[in-house]
Amino acid sequence: MMKRLMTGLCLGLFVSAAAFAAKHAANHAAIDLTGLAKPGEWAMTSVASVDGKAEKPDTDKSCLTTGDLRDFVSHDGGNDPKGTYNLAGHHLSFKGDYRVGGRKEGTMSQDMFFDDPTHWHGIMKILITDKSSPIKLIRVQMKARRIGPCTPDSDN
């Protein structure tokens, strides 16, 4: 379950499905990343730490289209965080509430740094404030690289 949560959180940071963007367009302004990243198939490696205990690295691949980059809306695997997005130069950040099922569970911050159009790295931190949760702090370090054009087998 933790691997699924981490994969959803990490992929959610960068991969935006068109349906999600359309559904949430009224709540979030689109962020255009076309000048910072190239469309294509991307491989993202993440290393999560839960309450200080490191998980095994995980690598996932996904296809990003020009539309995905043009209408990028950051999200955390569908849990719809409420907060502020900021794009300044090559740095994309998010700060706000971490929500599960519409209920605030904690606070969240994400930072992505675009090294060039084919590489980025970032970090995400979630501080769980819900006293009933056995997890208190999730920290995920990520790096991604474009590996080529999208293929029929690419996740999109």
Side-chain angles (χ1 to χ4, degrees), residues 15-16 39-42 61-65 68 149-151 154-156:
V15 179
S16 174
E41 187 170 14
W42 284 75
K61 294 179 184 175
S62 220
C63 176
L64 293 175
T65 67
D68 293 332
C150 293
T151 65
S154 297
D155 175 21
N156 191 10

Side-chain angles (χ1 to χ4, degrees), residues 66-144:
T66 301
D68 293 332
L69 294 169
R70 185 178 300 118
D71 297 324
F72 180 79
V73 177
S74 184
H75 63 90
D76 73 346
N79 288 325
D80 191 21
K82 306 290 184 202
T84 304
Y85 300 91
N86 186 42
L87 179 59
H90 293 254
H91 177 213
L92 175 64
S93 64
F94 169 82
K95 291 189 182 356
D97 294 343
Y98 175 69
R99 297 176 174 270
V100 176
R103 192 178 117 216
K104 182 177 176 181
E105 299 274 332
T107 58
M108 179 172 167
S109 66
Q110 300 171 338
D111 289 286
M112 292 172 61
F113 301 92
F114 295 88
D115 304 314
D116 61 53
T118 62
H119 295 85
W120 65 265
H121 69 279
I123 190 163
M124 176 178 52
K125 297 176 195 170
I126 300 173
L127 178 61
I128 308 293
T129 55
D130 180 350
K131 299 212 186 293
S132 66
S133 173
I135 298 171
K136 299 302 175 201
L137 178 64
I138 301 170
R139 179 183 166 108
V140 183
Q141 292 188 294
M142 302 157 284
K143 63 181 177 179

